[in-house]
Amino acid sequence: MAYPDLFILRHGESEWNREGRMQGHLDSPLTPKGEGQADRQGVLLGRLDLPADATFWVSPQPRARATADRALGAFAASAHVDPRLREIHLGDWDGMTRKAINAAAPGILDLGLMAWMDHAPGGEGLEGLRARVTDWLGALDGPAVVVTHGITSRMIRGTVLGLDVPGMEALPGGQGIIYRVKDGIHSLIE
């Protein structure tokens, strides 16, 4: 399937990111570093020749909305808030540190950056995340700028590129940058 041009931003560093705590559907505020990362994304977006018909999208979670407010500037007010862009739900493991998760399920994190998430008790699982991301992608009718989360970003990019989970795990990650996916090509804007 052909997808429109996508510009994907991950929210800036949050307090729980700094602590190594899994946020999932929970939330914590941006750190000063995260605010700076969001400001940097705004500068990067300003340097791009965004398509005139681009739409703006944001996860409803506060850390993504705070990033959008800083990075999208005047476009933040018109951004579509869409629950399909939320971070993956990790069920009982939302809010836990990686260390605590590994203590609860020894060796689980060895499955891979994303693969272990399929084993989260009460969690959404990767197929659940893929279903909502695919639904969102199918509803797009033109280029889009989206502010979302780390795993959701990998799932969006991986779905557009036709990657399996190990392929998605190999994609670059990070905050304060923009990922572009256009015509099957993945690039990093930093």
Side-chain angles (χ1 to χ4, degrees):
M1 178 174 188
Y3 293 101
D5 196 1
L6 298 174
F7 299 87
I8 304 166
L9 292 71
R10 178 184 177 195
H11 64 80
E13 180 190 70
S14 70
E15 289 180 8
W16 282 13
N17 287 146
R18 188 179 55 215
E19 295 171 11
R21 190 173 300 279
M22 304 307 299
Q23 294 175 105
H25 279 191
L26 301 178
D27 206 73
S28 70
L30 298 180
T31 63
K33 178 180 179 180
E35 291 172 349
Q37 290 168 332
D39 292 343
R40 182 171 185 269
Q41 288 170 317
V43 170
L44 294 173
L45 279 174
R47 292 180 186 159
L48 296 175
D49 186 20
L50 292 175
D53 60 342
T55 55
F56 296 83
W57 299 82
V58 62
S59 159
Q61 293 178 271
R63 61 192 182 272
R65 301 223 23 209
T67 298
D69 287 346
R70 297 181 83 97
L72 301 183
F75 296 110
S78 64
H80 304 277
V81 178
D82 196 309
R84 294 173 292 186
L85 299 172
R86 292 174 66 117
E87 183 61 295
I88 189 170
H89 179 44
L90 296 173
D92 295 349
W93 292 346
D94 274 353
M96 292 177 65
T97 63
R98 291 180 180 274
K99 183 178 179 180
I101 291 168
N102 211 46
I108 194 77
L109 299 180
D110 295 337
L111 295 176
L113 178 68
M114 295 170 64
W116 67 269
M117 296 176 178
D118 271 336
H119 304 279
E124 170 179 25
L126 294 173
E127 285 311 309
L129 175 60
R130 184 187 301 270
R132 66 179 160 89
V133 160
T134 300
D135 186 57
W136 176 76
L137 285 165
L140 292 178
D141 60 2
V145 177
V146 57
V147 181
T148 189
H149 307 272
I151 299 302
T152 304
S153 166
R154 285 177 190 274
M155 184 62 74
I156 292 169
R157 293 179 285 146
T159 299
V160 170
L161 296 169
L163 301 176
D164 59 9
V165 171
M168 291 179 200
E169 291 177 340
L171 289 170
Q175 293 161 308
I177 54 179
I178 300 171
Y179 307 103
R180 184 175 188 180
V181 184
K182 181 180 181 179
D183 300 326
I185 305 295
H186 182 276
S187 57
L188 185 65
I189 300 167
E190 54 184 342

